[in-house]
């Protein structure tokens, strides 16, 4: 049993400082959840890195209708943000994904000569991600759990050992899937009917609000869920227990006068 699994004082019992013990647990759970979501989704900086290349592209294209200049500027901004992260030795996964996403959009738009195609790879990725959230949830392995399990140090323990958390992950994945599908339902008709600037500005506007809504719902579901089972702490405790048992066996053998070689064989 890990520290996260150990029973605490009875619900409502006051801690030595006068606070309710369960209130402290709820606060700790919410704090851990906030930190994990911040790490997983990149926080404010990650949002800026997600929005800025598209904003640069649509701004320049709105002004001069130059596809090449708009695309190159968007890609350059993505690369600069990646280089800054590398120089500061920060986590680069969000910046890397941003560079690849923008690069695909640039290549696609340059190949077709249609500026709207700069947004198409990202739109297709959003649709695929929405379907992935829904399909994995229906399969009993919600994607948000696969993403956040390592962050919470619980890996896949929630699947069989923590049904309350599995339910919370399922609700969160449904929220992400449906929100992203709703976003696609707005963007894909615009891809066919609107011009490039209209599509671009609406896409920029829809970058952050749906994301924040999905993150907030995830926080709500997980903050109310049982705490994660720290499987790393469990493995460490098991290793320490095994070492202690081995030392105890060797000590008992030494007291009985057993030769060292025999002790090693028994260990």
């Amino acid at each position: 049993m890990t520290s996260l699994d150990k029973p605490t004082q009875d619900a409502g019992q006051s801690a030595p400082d006068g606070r309710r013990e369960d209130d402290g647990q709820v606060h700790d759970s919410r704090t851990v959840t906030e930190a994990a979501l911040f790490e997983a989704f990149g926080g404010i900086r990650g949002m800026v890195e997600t929005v800025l290349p598209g904003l640069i592209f649509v701004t320049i294209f709105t002004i001069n209708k130059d596809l090449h200049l708009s695309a190159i500027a968007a890609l350059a901004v993505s690369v600069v943000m990646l280089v800054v992260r590398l120089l500061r030795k920060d986590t680069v996964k969000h910046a890397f994904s941003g560079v690849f996403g923008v690069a695909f959009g640039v290549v696609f738009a340059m190949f077709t000569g249609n500026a709207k195609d700069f947004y198409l790879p990202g739109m297709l990725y959003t649709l695929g991600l929405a379907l992935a959230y829904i399909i994995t949830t229906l399969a009993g392995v919600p994607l948000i759990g696969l993403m956040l399990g390592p962050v919470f140090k619980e890996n896949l323990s929630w699947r069989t050992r923590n049904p309350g958390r599995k339910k919370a992950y399922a609700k969160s994945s449904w929220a992400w899937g449906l929100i992203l599908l709703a976003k696609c339902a707005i963007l894909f008709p615009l891809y066919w009917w609107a011009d490039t600037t209209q599509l671009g500005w609406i896409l920029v506007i829809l970058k952050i609000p749906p994301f924040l809504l999905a993150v907030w719902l995830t926080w709500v579901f997980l903050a109310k869920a049982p705490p994660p089972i720290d499987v790393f702490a469990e493995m460490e405790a098991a290793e320490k227990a095994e070492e202690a048992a081995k030392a105890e066996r060797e000590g008992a053998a030494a007291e009985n006068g057993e030769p060292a070689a025999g002790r090693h064989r028994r260990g």
Side-chain angles (χ1 to χ4, degrees), residues 224-238:
K224 296 179 180 179
I229 298 172
D230 191 337
V231 295
F232 297 105
E234 285 186 337
M235 290 188 290
E236 183 179 352

Side-chain angles (χ1 to χ4, degrees), residues 55-71 114-116 119 195-197 201:
L55 179 61
I56 294 294
F57 179 90
V58 71
T59 300
I60 295 177
F61 191 83
T62 299
I63 295 172
N64 59 19
K65 299 297 188 290
D66 188 328
L67 169 60
H68 290 78
L69 178 60
S70 303
N114 184 352
K116 283 197 290 187
Y119 305 108
D195 60 32
T196 301
T197 55
W201 285 113

